[in-house]
Amino acid sequence: MTHPPARRTVLLATGAAALLTACGDSGGGSSGEATAGGSPGRELAKTSDVPVGGGVILGDEQIVVTQPREGDFRAFSAICTHQRCPVANVEAGTINCTCHGSRFRITDGSVTSPPATRALPERKITVEGNSIRLA
Ligand code: FES
């Protein structure tokens, strides 16, 4: 006498497939990289919000703004190029993703520690007085 697969087994298999789809791949895909950002001209932060030698992560905008040297502001996507986790913090001169440990330079977004192999895409900004805005 045989029994069909239990309902619980089928649901688990479906859930695993959904998780795999959501995680994406670590290859060279470019899907969605250009979707992070916001409206041009929109204020991202005040210059005083961004520590010299560090940065701030703007979760709603999915942008990280850094200030490698006083008065030198940069902005990058806050979505890790490895498997698209949002980066977690900016410390010791790097933008850090805690999902798998990738680190990116605050100066140009380039990778300092894998598994990511591609730099964080740069976002264009302008600084007007004490206001940092999307270009
Ligand atoms: S998603 Fe894997 S290190 Fe960022």
Side-chain angles (χ1 to χ4, degrees):
M1 185 173 187
T2 59
H3 298 282
R7 178 176 168 79
R8 182 173 33 193
T9 303
V10 173
L11 290 175
L12 285 173
T14 303
L19 274 175
L20 289 172
T21 301
C23 287
D25 67 25
S26 60
S30 61
S31 62
E33 281 185 7
T35 59
S39 304
R42 178 175 172 162
E43 184 177 74
L44 294 173
K46 298 291 186 190
T47 55
S48 58
D49 296 336
V50 186
V52 177
V56 294
I57 297 167
L58 308 168
D60 288 347
E61 301 285 358
Q62 297 185 340
I63 290 176
V64 55
V65 179
T66 65
Q67 187 177 190
R69 290 174 300 278
E70 188 166 352
D72 178 14
F73 294 91
R74 312 285 174 94
F76 307 95
S77 167
I79 303 301
C80 182
T81 57
H82 177 229
Q83 290 187 350
R84 303 193 49 74
C85 285
V87 296
N89 58 63
V90 182
E91 291 177 359
T94 58
I95 301 162
N96 308 312
C97 178
T98 54
C99 280
H100 310 99
S102 292
R103 294 175 183 269
F104 306 86
R105 288 183 181 86
I106 63 171
T107 53
D108 61 4
S110 61
V111 176
T112 65
S113 298
T117 58
R118 292 173 292 133
L120 295 174
E122 188 167 6
R123 298 286 181 243
K124 300 293 184 200
I125 54 172
T126 60
V127 180
E128 300 167 12
N130 66 351
S131 179
I132 302 170
R133 297 179 180 275
L134 282 173

